[in-house]
Amino acid sequence: MVSAYFRLAWTWTRAAMAYPASFALMSVLGLIVAGTDVAVILIIFANTTSLAGFSRAETLFLYGTANVAFCLCDMFVSNIDRISQHVKAGTFDTMLIRPVSTWIQMAADRFLPTRIGRVLQAALVLGYSISALDLDSGRLWMIPVMITTGAVIFAALWTLAGAVQFVLTDASEVTNAFTYGSGQLTQYPFAIYGRELVRGVTYGLPLAFVNWQPALYVLDRDDPFGTPGFMRFLGPVAALVLALLAGFAWRLGIRHYRSTGS
Amino acid sequence: MIELDRAGRSFKVKRSLKLEGNLVHAVRDLSFTVAPGEFVGYLGPNGAGKSTTIKMLCGILTPTSGRVRVAGLDPSRKRTTLARRIGVVFGQRTTLWWDLPLRDSFELIRHLYKVDRNVFKTRLDELTETLDLGGFIRTPVRQLSLGQRMRGDLAAALLHAPDVLVLDEPTIGLDVVSKSSIRAFLRRLNTEQGTTVLLTTHDLGDIERLCRRVMLIDHGRLAFDGTLDELMATAPEQSTIEDVVTRLYTGSR
C-alpha cells in the first residue's frame, strides 16, 4: 500500500516536471502564501504581548504543531479533494479497475511535491517556538504524538469530505470550509474563540485534539475553559474514532458510485 | 469464468426537486454464463445496458440486485483481488496516465499489479512486438493518435496476464488498418493464450470476425444468446449481419 502510494506520487512528480515553469511558480507561490499566515501572527504580537493569555512563542507553538500536521496532510492526503472531478468525468472508473485501494490512488492523485515547502515552513516555526519556550523536557514526548494525532484527524476530515462528494458532486466548496477551515482554526489558541465553538470542536468535530488539548499539557497550562486534565491525552482515541468513521463513509461512498454513461 | 444470476442495477433519477426519484433499471434480471476460453460478443443499442453490465463485472458498479461472479469472485466486494485477474479496456476512455510516456505507464502498472520484473519484461517485449508499440513507446500518452493509444491501452490491460479480458468498444473511431490489427491481436490472444474475452461493440465487423458466441441485450434484458450462425438463422436467408441486428434492435421495441 505504502509502496504503491510512493510509486504513484513519484509518477506524478515526474509528470509535474513536464511543465517546469508552472512547477517552479507553484513552489514559490506556496511558500509566499504560507509565509503570510505567520506574518499575521507576528503582526498581532507587534501590537500586544499576549493573545488571550498566550505569549508569542506559545502561539507559534500552537501554530507550528497544527500546521506541521495540516501541511503533511495537505501534501499527502488532500488530493482526495479532487474526487468530484473524477466522479463527474467518470475517470474514477480507471481507479476502480486497479488492484490498489482507491483511497491510496486518490490521495496520491496529482501529487504535488512542491507542497513540501509548506511542511518545512511549519516545521521551522515549530522548531523556533520550542527553542524559544522553556519546556519541561519530560513532556516533550507529547509533541510527536500530537502531530501524528493531528495528521490522522486532518486525513480523516479530508476522507470524509471526499466521501460526501460521491453523493453531492459539487460539495467541494462546502467541504473545503471544513478541511481548510479546520486548518485555519487550529492555528490560534482556542482561548480566543467563544465557549460554544470550542465545545463544538472538542466534542463534535474533534479539532481540539489536533493541538489545543495536548499543547496545554506540553505548555503545562490549565484549560481556560476548565476541561479536566485527562482530556489532554484523549487525542489518539478521538483520532481513531474519526478515522474509523471516515473509512466507513469512504466505503459507503464507493458503493454508491454511479459512474457515467457509456 | 463469468456468471450473472438475475443481476440488476437500477439508478434513482431525479427529474425535479421532488424527494422521490424515478427508478430506472439499466440492467434487470440478467443471467448468463461465460466459460473459460470463450470469445463472446456483447451487442445492444445505445443505452441498452452494455456498459452497466461491464462495470458490474469489473467492480466499478455494485449491482442493486442479483449475483455477479467473475473468476469466482464477487467483483464489488473483492475488487482489488479481482483486478489482478481481469483486464479492462474502455474504448472511449484511456486508463493510461495522460502526461506519461507509455513506457512509464507500463512500469507503474507493473508495480501496482506487482508483476515480477522478468515476467514483465518478457510480456512487454511480446506485446510491443505484436501490437507494434515500438515506434511510440516513449511518447506521452496525450500525443498519441487514437489507434496508437488503443494499442497502448490493450497492452496495459494485458501486462498482468489476466484470465479474462473485458473490452468496451475497443475499435470505436479507429481506421480500417488499426481495426484489423487489433482484431488479429485479440484472436491470437484468445486462441493461443486461452484468455476469455467479452467484447462490446457497435462494429458488426468485430462480431463477424471474432465472436463465436453473441449475446444481445436490450432494455436491460438479454434478447438473444447463441452462436453467430444461430443469430444469422433468426432472419431470412441472405440477410447481412447488419439486417439481422437491425431487426433484433427494432423488433424488440
Side-chain angles (χ1 to χ4, degrees):
Chain A
M1 278 303 175
V2 177
S3 79
Y5 182 94
F6 284 103
R7 184 56 62 171
L8 284 163
W10 172 237
T11 305
W12 283 112
T13 305
R14 294 206 349 205
M17 300 292 193
Y19 305 98
S22 132
F23 185 84
L25 197 66
M26 285 295 289
S27 311
V28 175
L29 277 179
L31 273 176
I32 294 174
V33 170
T36 55
D37 281 346
V38 192
V40 169
I41 295 177
L42 295 181
I43 288 169
I44 293 172
F45 281 98
N47 297 298
T48 176
T49 51
S50 104
L51 187 61
F54 285 78
S55 71
R56 190 173 85 144
E58 285 173 323
T59 305
L60 286 176
F61 178 75
L62 283 162
Y63 170 91
T65 45
N67 241 32
V68 168
F70 181 79
C71 292
L72 279 174
C73 277
D74 189 37
M75 181 169 178
F76 291 107
V77 184
S78 77
N79 305 307
I80 278 185
D81 240 14
R82 234 174 255 114
I83 188 114
S84 62
Q85 292 169 29
H86 286 290
V87 169
K88 269 192 269 185
T91 41
F92 192 65
D93 289 8
T94 313
M95 297 194 181
L96 284 165
I97 62 166
R98 302 273 179 238
V100 175
S101 127
T102 47
W103 189 87
I104 292 280
Q105 291 184 70
M106 264 324 296
D109 184 54
R110 299 186 180 276
F111 173 81
L112 271 181
T114 51
R115 288 183 175 157
I116 191 76
R118 296 196 208 180
V119 180
L120 291 177
Q121 182 261 8
L124 218 65
V125 173
L126 177 62
Y128 163 78
S129 73
I130 292 173
S131 70
L133 287 162
D134 187 22
L135 294 175
D136 176 353
S137 60
R139 297 184 179 223
L140 291 181
W141 63 270
M142 182 57 109
I143 298 176
V145 173
M146 65 196 278
I147 288 173
T148 313
T149 306
V152 172
I153 290 176
F154 285 128
L157 280 179
W158 255 303
T159 307
L160 280 168
V164 167
Q165 293 178 28
F166 280 110
V167 189
L168 305 167
T169 330
D170 288 309
S172 63
E173 298 286 330
V174 181
T175 54
N176 275 352
F178 282 94
T179 50
Y180 289 95
S182 302
Q184 293 284 326
L185 194 84
T186 49
Q187 286 180 0
Y188 295 95
F190 276 24
I192 67 170
Y193 302 124
R195 180 172 288 271
E196 291 310 312
L197 177 69
V198 174
R199 216 184 265 268
V201 294
T202 305
Y203 303 106
L205 203 64
L207 296 178
F209 298 103
V210 168
N211 61 344
W212 174 244
Q213 287 284 354
L216 289 173
Y217 168 77
V218 178
L219 300 171
D220 194 13
R221 298 187 53 139
D222 291 329
D223 186 354
F225 298 104
T227 56
F230 71 86
M231 298 272 294
R232 315 288 176 263
F233 307 100
L234 285 188
V237 181
L240 190 71
V241 171
L242 195 66
L244 287 175
L245 202 70
F248 179 71
W250 182 260
R251 280 172 174 271
L252 205 66
I254 301 260
R255 290 191 79 78
H256 278 84
Y257 177 57
R258 303 166 53 125
S259 187
T260 50
S262 87
Chain B
M1 190 55 75
I2 301 175
E3 237 185 287
L4 267 78
D5 185 20
R6 297 178 65 83
R9 171 74 202 204
S10 52
F11 294 95
K12 260 196 207 100
V13 178
K14 289 202 176 131
R15 293 259 152 75
S16 59
L17 283 172
K18 274 188 307 181
L19 273 176
E20 278 298 299
N22 292 354
L23 213 54
V24 174
H25 297 274
V27 170
R28 77 204 301 179
D29 284 347
L30 192 60
S31 303
F32 65 78
T33 314
V34 176
E38 274 197 279
F39 201 128
V40 183
Y42 194 40
L43 286 177
N46 291 317
K50 295 191 300 294
S51 291
T52 305
T53 312
I54 290 214
K55 283 170 184 172
M56 288 197 293
L57 293 182
C58 44
I60 293 174
L61 288 174
T62 310
T64 41
S65 64
R67 206 176 86 113
V68 178
R69 290 289 179 276
V70 178
L73 300 163
D74 179 347
S76 64
R77 295 202 176 272
K78 295 271 174 224
R79 195 178 54 72
T80 48
T81 320
L82 177 64
R84 287 181 209 283
R85 305 194 49 188
I86 190 171
V88 189
V89 175
F90 298 109
Q92 317 230 36
R93 181 176 297 140
T94 183
T95 58
L96 301 166
W97 285 263
W98 205 238
D99 290 317
L100 293 185
L102 265 185
R103 186 74 182 70
D104 294 17
S105 276
F106 292 159
E107 187 63 30
L108 187 53
I109 285 170
R110 174 176 94 74
H111 284 279
L112 296 184
Y113 286 82
K114 299 200 173 81
V115 182
D116 175 80
R117 191 183 295 273
N118 294 321
V119 176
F120 170 80
K121 204 183 164 305
T122 333
R123 243 187 124 67
L124 182 58
D125 288 347
E126 224 175 81
L127 288 164
T128 308
E129 202 195 307
T130 47
L131 285 166
D132 197 15
L133 307 173
F136 51 89
I137 198 158
R138 304 205 176 273
T139 313
V141 174
R142 63 185 139 88
Q143 290 170 12
L144 297 181
S145 74
L146 191 57
Q148 291 173 332
R149 206 210 73 201
M150 187 48 62
R151 282 182 277 158
D153 259 304
L154 260 176
L158 292 167
L159 280 170
H160 60 291
D163 305 328
V164 197
L165 180 64
V166 175
L167 305 154
D168 196 359
E169 302 188 36
T171 54
I172 194 166
L174 297 188
D175 64 53
V176 241
V177 182
S178 303
K179 259 184 204 172
S180 79
S181 79
I182 282 184
R183 283 173 187 160
F185 173 79
L186 290 176
R187 188 171 24 234
R188 277 185 56 190
L189 181 79
N190 177 249
T191 50
E192 287 172 21
Q193 320 230 5
T195 310
T196 313
V197 185
L198 182 75
L199 163 90
T200 83
T201 184
H202 287 299
D203 187 324
L204 298 170
D206 291 345
I207 301 287
E208 274 186 310
R209 286 176 187 77
L210 291 171
C211 307
R212 289 184 291 277
R213 176 176 167 200
V214 181
M215 293 191 294
L216 196 140
I217 187 180
D218 200 12
H219 293 102
R221 296 167 192 269
L222 217 52
F224 176 86
D225 183 0
T227 63
L228 187 58
D229 293 337
E230 286 167 354
L231 177 73
M232 298 305 288
T234 61
E237 256 179 76
Q238 310 219 312
S239 307
T240 61
I241 186 164
E242 273 83 5
D243 299 336
V244 178
V245 171
T246 311
R247 263 172 59 112
L248 278 166
Y249 281 8
T250 49
S252 57
R253 287 188 178 214

